[in-house]
Amino acid sequence: MDIRIGFADTARELVVRSNGTQEELTAKINEALGGNAVVELADDKGKKYIIRTDRIVYVEIGPSKPHAVGFAGV
């Protein structure tokens, strides 16, 4: 799953590719947002991200899309 997190006062977003299911990740993020705490996410390569939730504007959780390589038309 790809998790895109947008923050207040910045045009950049954080993208984390995680192995969890959409339901698990949604529950984890909702719990952290409700308590105005921090959320800890791990990506599929083992890196951990600790994010303060007070500056989060939006969170998008969806399946990862494979990137097309080459010039072949679809």
Side-chain angles (χ1 to χ4, degrees):
M1 286 288 143
D2 279 347
I3 306 166
R4 294 184 183 275
I5 302 173
F7 298 97
D9 302 326
T10 183
R12 297 191 66 166
E13 60 187 11
L14 175 65
V15 179
V16 178
R17 184 164 285 156
S18 180
N19 291 329
T21 67
Q22 191 170 19
E23 292 78 21
E24 292 171 346
L25 295 169
T26 300
K28 185 175 191 174
I29 293 170
N30 277 334
E31 181 181 340
L33 289 172
N36 197 15
V38 296
V39 63
E40 185 175 321
L41 300 171
D43 68 5
D44 57 356
K45 296 180 181 178
K47 291 183 183 177
K48 289 203 177 217
Y49 299 86
I50 300 171
I51 305 156
R52 288 180 35 197
T53 60
D54 61 343
R55 304 295 293 164
I56 292 177
V57 177
Y58 67 89
V59 178
E60 178 184 314
I61 303 171
S64 302
K65 296 181 200 171
H67 297 288
V69 178
F71 296 101
V74 180

